[in-house]
Amino acid sequence: MNGETGWPGDGGDDHDSKKGTVAVAGTKNAETFFKTGVCTMLAMGVDVFYFEAFDEKHKEKSKADNGEERNEAHWGAFYDNRTPKFSLACPTFD
């Protein structure tokens, strides 16, 4: 199975913890998602397309499901200057 996955380093739509779901944009959360989610899928042999490689500062804002504007320019694993936001090395799973 092929999939597309990612986590916003900034902007995006933070889900409401009162509803039992928490997904807060941020570089540390993106790193945690990559290390625990993406690396686990790769270790299981799942093909993954990480959305996206680089931040796109020129990208226009989009409207979320609730109608609010969201900044979609910060989904990259790398900043727009091509430096990584965090180590993309996966841990070794035993």
Side-chain angles (χ1 to χ4, degrees), residues 13-49:
D13 187 8
D14 296 342
H15 292 277
D16 191 342
S17 62
K18 293 177 185 173
K19 296 177 183 174
T21 57
V22 181
V24 179
T27 302
K28 190 65 181 164
N29 289 342
E31 179 180 17
T32 298
F33 174 74
F34 186 87
K35 299 289 184 187
T36 60
V38 173
C39 290
T40 299
M41 288 185 279
L42 292 171
M44 294 171 60
V46 176
D47 292 331
V48 176
F49 177 82

